[in-house]
C-alpha cells in the first residue's frame, strides 16, 4: 500500500500495467478525503504536444524501484476519464472516474469531494 507521506517521491516515475507495459508517467496522487490514504493517480500519457492526464485507482498498486504497477491494463487506463495537463477534475465529474473502474463512489457528509490532490 502506498502511504500519503511517500507519494511525492514517486512523481515522474513510470506507471506500468500488470504485464509491465508502460502506460505513462505518474503526475499526481489523489487521496481519499475520509481516510487521507492514496486512492487515485493521474498518469501523463500521449505525445509530447498532446498530453493529457488519465485517472487510475491505486488499490492493489505495487511500488517498484522506479515504477508504479497498477492492476489495470494499458488500454483500459488510456481510455479512462481524463483532464488536460493544466486542468483540475471538476467535482461533478469525480463520480465518473469511479464508475469507469466499477468502484463505489461515496461523497462526504455535506457532499464534499471524495478525492483531494496531494
Amino acid at each position: 500500500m502506498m502511504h500519503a507521506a511517500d507519494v511525492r517521491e514517486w512523481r515522474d516515475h513510470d506507471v506500468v500495467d500488470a504485464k509491465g507495459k508502460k502506460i505513462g508517467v505518474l503526475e499526481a496522487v489523489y487521496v481519499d478525503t475520509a481516510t487521507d490514504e492514496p486512492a487515485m493517480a493521474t498518469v501523463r500519457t500521449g505525445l509530447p504536444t498532446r498530453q493529457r492526464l488519465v485517472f487510475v485507482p491505486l488499490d492493489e498498486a505495487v511500488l517498484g524501484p522506479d515504477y508504479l504497477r497498477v492492476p489495470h491494463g494499458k488500454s483500459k487506463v488510456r481510455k479512462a476519464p481524463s483532464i488536460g495537463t493544466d486542468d483540475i477534475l471538476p467535482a461533478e465529474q469525480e463520480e465518473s472516474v469511479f464508475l469507469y473502474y466499477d468502484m463505489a463512489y461515496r461523497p462526504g457528509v455535506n457532499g464534499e469531494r471524495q478525492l483531494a490532490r496531494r
Side-chain angles (χ1 to χ4, degrees), residues 98-111:
F98 286 81
L99 293 176
Y100 180 78
Y101 289 104
D102 295 321
M103 298 171 64
Y105 178 72
R106 299 172 313 276
V109 176
N110 296 320

Side-chain angles (χ1 to χ4, degrees), residues 37 41-42 88 109:
E37 289 295 323
T42 50
I88 60 167
V109 176

Side-chain angles (χ1 to χ4, degrees), residues 47-99:
L47 301 171
T49 58
R50 301 174 114 200
Q51 292 189 335
R52 63 194 178 98
L53 302 175
V54 294
F55 288 85
V56 64
L58 293 176
D59 56 334
E60 300 179 38
V62 176
L63 295 171
D66 58 356
Y67 63 87
L68 173 67
R69 183 178 17 215
V70 295
H72 303 281
K74 178 179 180 175
S75 63
K76 180 162 182 84
V77 175
R78 289 218 168 161
K79 294 175 187 172
S82 65
I83 57 175
T85 55
D86 293 327
D87 296 338
I88 60 167
L89 180 65
E92 60 273 3
Q93 293 179 11
E94 192 173 88
E95 185 175 12
S96 68
V97 176
F98 286 81
L99 293 176

Side-chain angles (χ1 to χ4, degrees), residues 16-28:
V16 299
D17 68 8
K19 295 180 180 179
K21 293 181 183 175
K22 183 177 176 181
I23 298 169
V25 176
L26 183 67
E27 176 70 22

